[in-house]
Amino acid sequence: MQRLVNEKDHVVEDMLEGYVQAKSYIEYGGSEKRVVKYTDIPQGKVGLVSGGGSGHEPAFLGYIGKNMLDAVAIGEVFSSPTANAFLDAFREANHENGVACLFGNYAGDNMNVKMAKAMAEDEGIQVRYVTANDDISSSPKETKEKRHGIAGGVYMWKIAGAAAAQGADLDEVCRIAEKTVEHTRSICIGLAPCTIPDVGHPNFTIQEGTYEFGIGHHGEPGMDIRPMASAKEIAGEMMNAIHEDYELMEGDEVSIIVSGLGATPLMEQYILYKEAVDWLKERGIRIHHPLVGNYVTSLDMNGAAITVLKLDEELKKLLDVPAICAAFQFI
């Protein structure tokens, strides 16, 4: 494995040092250098916190910024931040009107957020949390509360961030976040596995001439393994899966993210996007404010995620609120 790292056991610390040095609006928070925060959090605003394992950049660091997240807790590669890191993030984001913690629905994150919430409330900090569960491959519709959050978290942060910036209280911010989650669906495909720096080799395999349909962001097995096909065929299968889970109707308006998983060339991401949009247009579905690029990755995995958010007037208005962070600019 050839990688631009120093000590393999310190890749997260080294990444964070570089990130903080590169972004003038970011600084460390807490005592263990596992929390980073926005330097210009407006007084009186509901605080927005997220966090998760490293290796998914620009998530979660890249979504700190104006009208976006206020603080994030950072874990080891593909591992949850500690409860103390989440607690430090709550402290940094709190400006007396409570904190909304918006994160992906993974077991370690759930456990540590709940522990941190209890500790924060002992200190008088009101905390509520909302989990993204947009990954349709991670659990059936009948148990969608068990689904994981992947690129759909981007919409949750963007829209809840806009609500908080406009003065919504904690209950309203969480209501908007929950509504966004309910309207969002994602599916991933994997073409080649990723390599965790500490391991030095892929922790799973994808055979040449095949792809994994519905793969998880940590290499969790997907729905099935399929023969390699054209971008048009793969996009069609991905959109069909989303449509079967959450029916899209003629006249609907959606926002769509095509996110690479770390090693997917932008050229191929735009090809996949074109085919997904053709699928939508053929069915009379309008597209609003699409995103194509690396928004939630999985180290150096080759593959892509498609995320669809079905819009209504409330969600569309909040999606359009200007926001600036490292991962994107909504202007």
Side-chain angles (χ1 to χ4, degrees):
M1 180 187 73
Q2 298 188 106
R3 292 289 186 270
L4 293 172
V5 300
N6 297 313
E7 294 294 326
K8 64 181 182 180
D9 293 334
H10 296 109
V11 293
V12 175
E13 288 82 358
D14 288 349
M15 173 197 66
L16 287 173
E17 286 285 351
Y19 194 85
V20 170
Q21 290 180 30
K23 308 297 179 186
S24 62
Y25 57 90
I26 298 289
E27 63 185 13
Y28 282 116
S31 59
E32 298 180 0
K33 288 193 170 182
R34 282 307 179 98
V35 170
V36 288
K37 66 174 183 176
Y38 189 41
T39 58
D40 193 24
I41 303 172
Q43 289 294 323
K45 184 183 78 69
V46 170
L48 257 66
V49 166
S50 190
S54 298
H56 301 299
E57 291 74 29
F60 300 84
L61 297 166
Y63 297 99
I64 299 171
K66 183 178 180 179
N67 297 342
M68 292 293 295
L69 296 174
D70 298 310
V72 300
I74 304 299
E76 291 294 330
V77 174
F78 293 176
S79 296
S80 173
T82 65
N84 283 334
F86 276 116
L87 175 60
D88 279 342
F90 297 160
R91 290 167 173 159
E92 297 292 355
N94 181 46
H95 284 270
E96 309 306 325
N97 282 316
V99 174
C101 185
L102 313 177
F103 64 100
N105 192 27
Y106 293 88
D109 296 329
N110 268 297
M111 177 180 69
N112 289 331
V113 166
K114 289 173 183 177
M115 291 173 60
K117 178 179 184 292
M119 291 187 288
E121 290 177 345
D122 286 343
E123 298 179 8
I125 302 171
Q126 185 180 11
V127 177
R128 288 188 56 188
Y129 63 86
V130 177
T131 56
N133 58 7
D134 51 294
D135 181 7
I136 65 172
S137 68
S138 55
S139 192
K141 280 195 291 188
E142 294 74 23
T143 54
K144 65 184 180 70
E145 71 280 358
K146 296 181 180 180
R147 289 176 173 175
H148 297 153
I150 46 177
V154 174
Y155 285 129
M156 178 173 65
W157 303 325
K158 171 65 190 71
I159 290 172
Q166 293 183 343
D169 64 17
L170 183 57
D171 286 343
E172 180 66 1
V173 168
C174 290
R175 181 191 71 79
I176 288 293
E178 290 167 352
K179 180 178 178 180
T180 305
V181 169
E182 184 61 33
H183 284 239
T184 307
R185 301 292 188 277
S186 297
I187 185 77
C188 287
I189 58 101
L191 307 179
C194 60
T195 298
I196 298 174
D198 189 39
V199 177
H201 57 80
N203 60 338
F204 62 98
T205 59
I206 298 175
Q207 295 297 323
E208 187 73 19
T210 69
Y211 74 97
E212 186 113 14
F213 187 82
I215 195 168
H217 266 46
H218 308 111
E220 298 95 336
M223 293 176 172
D224 52 46
I225 297 170
R226 302 183 181 183
M228 192 59 196
S230 68
K232 181 179 180 64
E233 291 171 305
I234 292 173
E237 291 177 358
M238 295 172 79
M239 294 305 299
N240 284 336
I242 289 172
H243 176 61
E244 288 170 8
D245 194 88
Y246 189 42
E247 188 175 8
L248 301 170
M249 306 287 290
E250 183 177 356
D252 282 345
E253 187 169 21
V254 303
S255 185
I256 179 173
I257 299 172
V258 172
S259 177
L261 298 186
T264 315
L266 273 171
M267 175 186 290
E268 296 175 23
Q269 294 179 37
Y270 278 106
I271 292 170
L272 191 68
Y273 170 76
K274 170 200 173 298
E275 299 301 342
V277 167
D278 285 350
W279 187 100
L280 290 165
K281 288 181 176 178
E282 286 171 4
R283 290 157 179 80
I285 299 165
R286 295 168 292 150
I287 298 93
H288 179 76
H289 216 135
L291 295 170
V292 182
N294 292 327
Y295 291 101
V296 179
T297 65
S298 184
L299 291 171
D300 59 340
M301 191 186 299
N302 190 357
I306 294 178
T307 298
V308 175
L309 167 66
K310 187 185 291 189
L311 294 168
D312 61 13
E313 286 305 311
E314 181 179 46
L315 294 177
K316 184 177 179 180
K317 183 178 179 181
L318 291 168
L319 181 65
D320 287 346
V321 170
I324 300 175
C325 58
F328 56 55
Q329 291 190 23
F330 271 70
I331 54 177

